[in-house]
Amino acid sequence: MGMFTLSLLSILFLGGVARAVAYLDPGSGSFFIQLLVAGLMGALFLIGVYWKRVKTFFMKMFGRSVESSDGDDTE
């Protein structure tokens, strides 16, 4: 089946849909907010776990020298 035929059939099927009466309960909104917060917290956790690698990557990217010490002043 050609791409044109597939596109035409998709438009015909989607264009023929009758009006739908839908209901979103109050829990749906809080669920989407929970997903957003969980994704943000997960991203922050990963950045925290790999912070040293992220810092080194950006220092190399912008041309600054990378220090090999972990904050120890002992030599």
Coordinates of all heavy atoms in Angstrom, one line a residue:
M1 N 0.9 -1.2 0.0 CA 0.0 0.0 0.0 C 0.9 1.2 0.0 O 1.8 1.3 0.8 CB -0.9 0.0 1.2 CG -2.0 1.0 1.2 SD -3.1 1.0 2.6 CE -3.8 -0.6 2.6
G2 N 0.6 2.1 -0.9 CA 1.4 3.3 -1.0 C 1.2 4.3 0.2 O 0.2 4.3 0.9
M3 N 2.2 5.2 0.3 CA 2.1 6.2 1.4 C 0.9 7.1 1.2 O 0.2 7.5 2.1 CB 3.4 7.0 1.4 CG 3.5 7.9 2.6 SD 3.5 6.9 4.1 CE 4.5 7.8 5.1
F4 N 0.6 7.5 -0.1 CA -0.5 8.3 -0.4 C -1.8 7.7 0.0 O -2.7 8.3 0.6 CB -0.5 8.7 -1.9 CG -1.7 9.5 -2.3 CD1 -1.7 10.9 -1.9 CD2 -2.8 9.0 -3.0 CE1 -2.8 11.7 -2.3 CE2 -3.8 9.8 -3.3 CZ -3.9 11.1 -3.0
T5 N -2.0 6.4 -0.3 CA -3.2 5.7 0.0 C -3.4 5.6 1.5 O -4.5 5.7 2.0 CB -3.2 4.3 -0.6 OG1 -2.9 4.4 -2.0 CG2 -4.5 3.5 -0.4
L6 N -2.3 5.3 2.2 CA -2.3 5.2 3.7 C -2.7 6.5 4.3 O -3.6 6.6 5.2 CB -1.0 4.7 4.2 CG -0.9 4.4 5.7 CD1 -1.9 3.3 6.0 CD2 0.5 4.0 6.1
S7 N -2.2 7.6 3.8 CA -2.5 8.9 4.3 C -4.0 9.3 4.0 O -4.7 9.8 4.9 CB -1.6 10.0 3.7 OG -0.3 9.8 3.9
L8 N -4.4 9.0 2.8 CA -5.8 9.2 2.5 C -6.8 8.4 3.3 O -7.8 9.0 3.8 CB -6.1 8.9 1.0 CG -7.4 9.3 0.4 CD1 -7.7 10.8 0.6 CD2 -7.6 8.8 -1.0
L9 N -6.5 7.2 3.6 CA -7.4 6.4 4.4 C -7.4 6.9 5.9 O -8.4 6.9 6.5 CB -6.9 4.9 4.4 CG -7.3 4.1 3.1 CD1 -6.7 2.8 3.2 CD2 -8.8 4.0 3.0
S10 N -6.2 7.3 6.4 CA -6.1 7.8 7.7 C -7.0 9.1 7.9 O -7.7 9.3 8.9 CB -4.7 8.2 8.1 OG -3.9 7.0 8.1
I11 N -6.9 10.0 6.9 CA -7.7 11.2 6.9 C -9.2 10.9 6.9 O -10.0 11.5 7.6 CB -7.3 12.2 5.8 CG1 -5.9 12.7 6.0 CG2 -8.3 13.3 5.6 CD1 -5.3 13.5 4.9
L12 N -9.6 9.9 6.0 CA -11.0 9.6 5.9 C -11.5 9.0 7.2 O -12.6 9.3 7.7 CB -11.2 8.6 4.8 CG -11.1 9.2 3.4 CD1 -11.2 8.1 2.3 CD2 -12.2 10.3 3.2
F13 N -10.7 8.1 7.9 CA -11.2 7.5 9.1 C -11.2 8.5 10.2 O -12.2 8.5 11.0 CB -10.3 6.3 9.5 CG -10.5 5.1 8.7 CD1 -9.5 4.4 8.1 CD2 -11.8 4.5 8.6 CE1 -9.7 3.3 7.3 CE2 -12.0 3.4 7.9 CZ -11.0 2.7 7.3
L14 N -10.3 9.4 10.3 CA -10.3 10.4 11.4 C -11.3 11.5 11.2 O -11.8 12.0 12.1 CB -8.9 11.0 11.5 CG -7.8 10.1 12.0 CD1 -6.4 10.8 12.0 CD2 -8.1 9.6 13.4
G15 N -11.6 11.7 9.9 CA -12.6 12.8 9.6 C -14.0 12.3 9.8 O -14.9 13.1 10.0
G16 N -14.2 11.0 9.9 CA -15.6 10.5 10.0 C -16.0 10.2 11.5 O -17.0 9.5 11.7
V17 N -15.2 10.6 12.4 CA -15.4 10.3 13.8 C -16.5 11.2 14.3 O -16.5 12.4 14.1 CB -14.2 10.4 14.7 CG1 -14.5 10.2 16.2 CG2 -13.1 9.5 14.2
A18 N -17.5 10.6 15.0 CA -18.6 11.4 15.6 C -18.1 12.1 16.8 O -17.1 11.8 17.4 CB -19.8 10.5 15.9
R19 N -18.9 13.0 17.3 CA -18.5 13.8 18.5 C -18.5 12.9 19.7 O -19.4 12.1 19.9 CB -19.5 14.9 18.7 CG -19.1 15.9 19.8 CD -20.2 16.9 19.9 NE -20.9 16.6 21.1 CZ -21.4 17.5 22.0 NH1 -21.2 18.8 21.7 NH2 -22.0 17.2 23.0
A20 N -17.4 13.0 20.4 CA -17.3 12.1 21.6 C -17.6 12.9 22.9 O -17.2 14.1 23.0 CB -15.9 11.6 21.7
V21 N -18.3 12.3 23.8 CA -18.5 12.9 25.1 C -17.6 12.2 26.1 O -17.7 11.1 26.4 CB -20.0 12.7 25.5 CG1 -20.3 13.3 26.9 CG2 -20.9 13.2 24.5
A22 N -16.6 13.0 26.5 CA -15.6 12.4 27.4 C -15.6 13.1 28.8 O -16.2 14.1 29.0 CB -14.2 12.7 26.8
Y23 N -15.1 12.3 29.7 CA -15.1 12.8 31.1 C -13.7 12.6 31.7 O -13.1 11.5 31.6 CB -16.1 12.0 31.9 CG -16.0 12.3 33.4 CD1 -16.4 13.5 33.9 CD2 -15.5 11.4 34.3 CE1 -16.4 13.8 35.3 CE2 -15.4 11.6 35.6 CZ -15.8 12.8 36.1 OH -15.7 13.1 37.5
L24 N -13.1 13.6 32.3 CA -11.8 13.5 33.0 C -12.1 13.7 34.5 O -12.6 14.8 34.9 CB -10.8 14.6 32.5 CG -10.2 14.4 31.1 CD1 -9.3 15.5 30.8 CD2 -9.4 13.1 31.1
D25 N -11.9 12.7 35.3 CA -12.1 12.9 36.7 C -11.0 13.7 37.4 O -10.0 13.9 36.8 CB -12.3 11.5 37.4 CG -11.0 10.7 37.2 OD1 -9.9 11.2 37.4 OD2 -11.2 9.5 37.0
P26 N -11.2 14.2 38.5 CA -10.3 15.1 39.2 C -8.9 14.4 39.5 O -7.9 15.0 39.6 CB -10.9 15.4 40.5 CG -12.4 15.3 40.3 CD -12.5 14.2 39.3
G27 N -8.9 13.1 39.6 CA -7.7 12.3 39.8 C -6.8 12.4 38.6 O -5.5 12.2 38.8
S28 N -7.3 12.6 37.4 CA -6.4 12.6 36.2 C -5.5 13.8 36.3 O -4.3 13.6 35.9 CB -7.3 12.7 35.0 OG -8.2 11.6 34.8
G29 N -5.9 14.9 36.7 CA -5.1 16.1 36.8 C -3.9 15.9 37.8 O -2.8 16.2 37.5
S30 N -4.3 15.4 38.9 CA -3.3 15.1 40.0 C -2.3 14.1 39.5 O -1.1 14.1 39.8 CB -3.9 14.8 41.3 OG -4.6 13.6 41.2
F31 N -2.7 13.1 38.7 CA -1.9 12.1 38.2 C -0.9 12.7 37.3 O 0.3 12.3 37.3 CB -2.7 11.0 37.5 CG -1.8 9.9 36.9 CD1 -1.2 9.0 37.7 CD2 -1.7 9.7 35.6 CE1 -0.4 8.0 37.2 CE2 -1.0 8.7 35.0 CZ -0.3 7.9 35.8
F32 N -1.3 13.5 36.4 CA -0.4 14.2 35.4 C 0.6 15.1 36.2 O 1.8 15.1 35.8 CB -1.1 15.0 34.4 CG -1.9 14.1 33.4 CD1 -3.2 14.3 33.1 CD2 -1.2 13.0 32.7 CE1 -3.9 13.5 32.3 CE2 -1.9 12.2 31.9 CZ -3.2 12.5 31.6
I33 N 0.2 15.8 37.2 CA 1.1 16.6 38.0 C 2.1 15.7 38.7 O 3.3 16.0 38.8 CB 0.3 17.5 39.0 CG1 -0.4 18.5 38.2 CG2 1.3 18.1 40.0 CD1 -1.4 19.3 39.1
Q34 N 1.7 14.5 39.2 CA 2.6 13.6 39.9 C 3.6 13.1 38.9 O 4.8 12.9 39.2 CB 1.8 12.4 40.4 CG 2.6 11.4 41.2 CD 1.7 10.3 41.8 OE1 0.5 10.3 41.6 NE2 2.4 9.4 42.4
L35 N 3.2 12.8 37.7 CA 4.1 12.3 36.6 C 5.2 13.4 36.3 O 6.4 13.1 36.2 CB 3.4 11.9 35.4 CG 2.7 10.6 35.3 CD1 1.9 10.5 34.0 CD2 3.6 9.5 35.5
L36 N 4.8 14.6 36.2 CA 5.7 15.7 36.0 C 6.7 15.9 37.1 O 7.9 16.0 36.9 CB 4.9 17.0 35.8 CG 5.7 18.3 35.4 CD1 6.3 18.1 34.0 CD2 4.8 19.5 35.5
V37 N 6.2 15.9 38.3 CA 7.1 16.0 39.5 C 8.1 14.9 39.6 O 9.2 15.0 39.9 CB 6.3 16.2 40.8 CG1 7.1 16.1 42.0 CG2 5.5 17.5 40.8
A38 N 7.6 13.6 39.4 CA 8.4 12.4 39.5 C 9.5 12.5 38.4 O 10.7 12.1 38.7 CB 7.6 11.2 39.3
G39 N 9.2 12.9 37.2 CA 10.2 13.0 36.1 C 11.2 14.1 36.5 O 12.4 13.8 36.2
L40 N 10.8 15.2 37.0 CA 11.7 16.2 37.4 C 12.7 15.8 38.5 O 13.9 16.0 38.5 CB 11.0 17.5 37.8 CG 11.8 18.7 38.3 CD1 12.6 19.2 37.1 CD2 10.9 19.8 38.8
M41 N 12.1 15.1 39.5 CA 12.9 14.6 40.6 C 13.9 13.5 40.1 O 15.0 13.5 40.6 CB 12.0 14.1 41.7 CG 11.2 15.2 42.4 SD 12.1 16.5 43.1 CE 13.0 15.7 44.4
G42 N 13.4 12.7 39.2 CA 14.3 11.6 38.7 C 15.5 12.3 37.9 O 16.6 11.8 38.0
A43 N 15.2 13.3 37.1 CA 16.2 14.0 36.4 C 17.2 14.6 37.3 O 18.4 14.6 37.1 CB 15.6 15.0 35.4
L44 N 16.7 15.3 38.4 CA 17.6 15.9 39.4 C 18.5 14.9 40.1 O 19.6 15.1 40.4 CB 16.8 16.7 40.4 CG 16.2 18.0 39.8 CD1 15.3 18.7 40.9 CD2 17.3 19.0 39.3
F45 N 17.9 13.7 40.4 CA 18.6 12.6 41.0 C 19.8 12.1 40.2 O 20.9 11.9 40.6 CB 17.7 11.5 41.4 CG 18.4 10.3 42.0 CD1 18.8 10.3 43.3 CD2 18.6 9.2 41.2 CE1 19.5 9.2 43.8 CE2 19.2 8.1 41.7 CZ 19.7 8.1 43.0
L46 N 19.5 11.9 38.9 CA 20.5 11.5 38.0 C 21.6 12.5 37.8 O 22.8 12.1 37.8 CB 19.9 11.2 36.6 CG 19.2 9.8 36.5 CD1 18.6 9.7 35.1 CD2 20.2 8.7 36.7
I47 N 21.3 13.8 37.8 CA 22.3 14.8 37.7 C 23.1 14.8 38.9 O 24.4 14.9 38.9 CB 21.7 16.2 37.4 CG1 21.1 16.3 36.0 CG2 22.7 17.3 37.7 CD1 20.3 17.5 35.8
G48 N 22.5 14.6 40.1 CA 23.2 14.5 41.4 C 24.2 13.3 41.4 O 25.3 13.4 41.9
V49 N 23.7 12.2 40.9 CA 24.6 11.0 40.9 C 25.8 11.1 40.0 O 26.9 10.8 40.3 CB 23.7 9.7 40.5 CG1 24.6 8.5 40.2 CG2 22.7 9.4 41.6
Y50 N 25.6 11.7 38.8 CA 26.6 11.9 37.8 C 27.2 13.3 37.8 O 27.7 13.8 36.8 CB 26.1 11.5 36.5 CG 25.8 10.0 36.4 CD1 24.5 9.6 36.3 CD2 26.8 9.1 36.4 CE1 24.1 8.2 36.2 CE2 26.5 7.7 36.3 CZ 25.2 7.3 36.2 OH 24.9 6.0 36.2
W51 N 27.1 14.0 38.9 CA 27.5 15.4 38.9 C 28.9 15.7 38.5 O 29.2 16.6 37.7 CB 27.3 16.1 40.3 CG 27.7 17.5 40.3 CD1 28.7 18.0 41.1 CD2 27.2 18.6 39.6 NE1 28.9 19.3 40.8 CE2 27.9 19.7 40.0 CE3 26.1 18.7 38.7 CZ2 27.6 21.0 39.4 CZ3 25.9 20.0 38.2 CH2 26.6 21.1 38.5
K52 N 29.8 14.8 39.0 CA 31.3 15.0 38.6 C 31.5 14.8 37.1 O 32.2 15.6 36.5 CB 32.1 14.0 39.4 CG 33.6 14.3 39.3 CD 34.3 13.4 40.3 CE 35.8 13.8 40.3 NZ 36.5 13.1 41.3
R53 N 30.8 13.8 36.5 CA 31.0 13.6 35.1 C 30.4 14.8 34.3 O 30.9 15.2 33.3 CB 30.3 12.3 34.7 CG 31.0 11.1 35.1 CD 30.3 9.9 34.6 NE 30.9 8.7 35.1 CZ 30.4 7.5 34.8 NH1 29.4 7.3 34.0 NH2 31.0 6.4 35.3
V54 N 29.2 15.3 34.7 CA 28.6 16.4 34.1 C 29.4 17.6 34.2 O 29.6 18.4 33.2 CB 27.2 16.7 34.7 CG1 26.6 18.0 34.2 CG2 26.2 15.5 34.4
K55 N 30.0 17.9 35.3 CA 30.9 19.1 35.5 C 32.1 19.0 34.7 O 32.5 20.0 34.0 CB 31.2 19.1 37.0 CG 32.1 20.3 37.4 CD 32.3 20.3 38.9 CE 33.3 21.4 39.3 NZ 33.6 21.4 40.7
T56 N 32.7 17.8 34.6 CA 33.9 17.6 33.8 C 33.6 17.8 32.3 O 34.3 18.4 31.6 CB 34.5 16.2 34.0 OG1 34.8 16.0 35.4 CG2 35.7 16.0 33.2
F57 N 32.4 17.3 31.9 CA 32.0 17.4 30.5 C 31.9 18.9 30.1 O 32.4 19.3 29.1 CB 30.7 16.7 30.3 CG 30.1 16.9 28.9 CD1 30.6 16.3 27.8 CD2 29.0 17.8 28.8 CE1 30.1 16.5 26.5 CE2 28.4 18.0 27.5 CZ 29.0 17.4 26.4
F58 N 31.2 19.7 30.9 CA 31.0 21.1 30.6 C 32.3 21.9 30.7 O 32.5 22.8 29.9 CB 29.9 21.7 31.4 CG 28.5 21.3 30.9 CD1 27.7 20.5 31.7 CD2 28.1 21.8 29.7 CE1 26.4 20.2 31.2 CE2 26.8 21.4 29.2 CZ 26.0 20.6 30.0
M59 N 33.2 21.5 31.6 CA 34.5 22.2 31.7 C 35.3 21.9 30.5 O 36.0 22.8 30.0 CB 35.2 21.8 33.0 CG 34.7 22.4 34.2 SD 35.7 22.0 35.6 CE 35.4 23.4 36.6
K60 N 35.3 20.7 30.0 CA 36.0 20.4 28.8 C 35.4 21.1 27.6 O 36.1 21.5 26.7 CB 36.0 18.9 28.5 CG 37.0 18.1 29.4 CD 37.0 16.7 29.1 CE 37.9 15.9 30.0 NZ 37.8 14.4 29.7
M61 N 34.1 21.2 27.6 CA 33.3 21.8 26.5 C 33.7 23.3 26.3 O 33.8 23.8 25.2 CB 31.8 21.6 26.7 CG 31.0 22.1 25.6 SD 29.3 21.8 26.0 CE 28.6 21.4 24.5
F62 N 33.8 24.0 27.5 CA 34.0 25.4 27.4 C 35.5 25.8 27.6 O 35.8 26.9 27.8 CB 33.2 26.1 28.5 CG 31.7 26.0 28.2 CD1 30.8 25.4 29.0 CD2 31.2 26.6 27.1 CE1 29.5 25.3 28.8 CE2 29.8 26.5 26.8 CZ 29.0 25.9 27.6
G63 N 36.4 24.8 27.6 CA 37.8 25.0 27.5 C 38.5 25.3 28.8 O 39.6 25.7 28.9
R64 N 37.8 25.1 30.0 CA 38.5 25.4 31.3 C 39.3 24.1 31.6 O 38.9 23.0 31.3 CB 37.5 25.7 32.3 CG 36.7 27.0 32.1 CD 35.9 27.3 33.3 NE 35.1 28.5 33.0 CZ 34.1 29.0 33.7 NH1 33.7 28.2 34.8 NH2 33.5 30.1 33.5
S65 N 40.3 24.3 32.4 CA 41.1 23.1 32.8 C 40.3 22.3 33.9 O 39.6 22.9 34.7 CB 42.4 23.6 33.4 OG 42.2 24.4 34.6
V66 N 40.5 21.0 33.8 CA 39.8 20.1 34.7 C 40.7 19.8 35.9 O 41.8 19.3 35.6 CB 39.3 18.9 34.0 CG1 38.6 17.9 35.0 CG2 38.4 19.2 32.8
E67 N 40.3 20.0 37.1 CA 41.1 19.6 38.3 C 40.9 18.2 38.6 O 39.7 17.7 38.6 CB 40.7 20.5 39.5 CG 41.0 22.0 39.2 CD 40.5 22.9 40.4 OE1 40.1 22.3 41.4 OE2 40.5 24.1 40.2
S68 N 41.9 17.5 38.9 CA 41.8 16.1 39.2 C 41.6 15.8 40.7 O 41.3 14.7 41.1 CB 43.1 15.3 38.8 OG 44.2 15.8 39.4
S69 N 41.7 16.8 41.6 CA 41.5 16.5 43.0 C 40.0 16.6 43.4 O 39.2 17.1 42.7 CB 42.3 17.6 43.8 OG 41.7 18.8 43.6
D70 N 39.7 15.9 44.5 CA 38.4 15.9 45.0 C 38.1 16.9 46.1 O 37.3 16.7 46.9 CB 38.0 14.5 45.5 CG 38.0 13.4 44.4 OD1 37.6 13.8 43.3 OD2 38.3 12.3 44.7
G71 N 38.9 17.9 46.1 CA 38.8 18.9 47.1 C 39.8 18.8 48.2 O 39.9 19.5 49.2
D72 N 40.7 17.8 48.1 CA 41.7 17.6 49.1 C 42.9 18.5 48.8 O 43.3 18.7 47.7 CB 42.3 16.2 49.1 CG 41.2 15.1 49.5 OD1 40.3 15.5 50.2 OD2 41.3 14.0 49.1
D73 N 43.4 19.2 49.9 CA 44.5 20.1 49.7 C 45.8 19.4 50.0 O 46.9 20.1 50.0 CB 44.3 21.4 50.6 CG 43.2 22.2 50.1 OD1 42.9 22.1 48.8 OD2 42.6 23.0 50.8
T74 N 45.8 18.1 50.3 CA 47.1 17.4 50.7 C 47.8 17.1 49.4 O 47.2 16.6 48.4 CB 46.8 16.2 51.5 OG1 45.9 15.3 50.7 CG2 46.1 16.5 52.8
E75 N 49.1 17.2 49.4 CA 49.9 16.9 48.3 C 51.1 15.9 48.6 O 51.6 15.9 49.7 CB 50.5 18.1 47.7 CG 49.5 19.0 47.0 CD 50.1 20.2 46.3 OE1 51.3 20.2 46.1 OE2 49.3 21.1 46.0

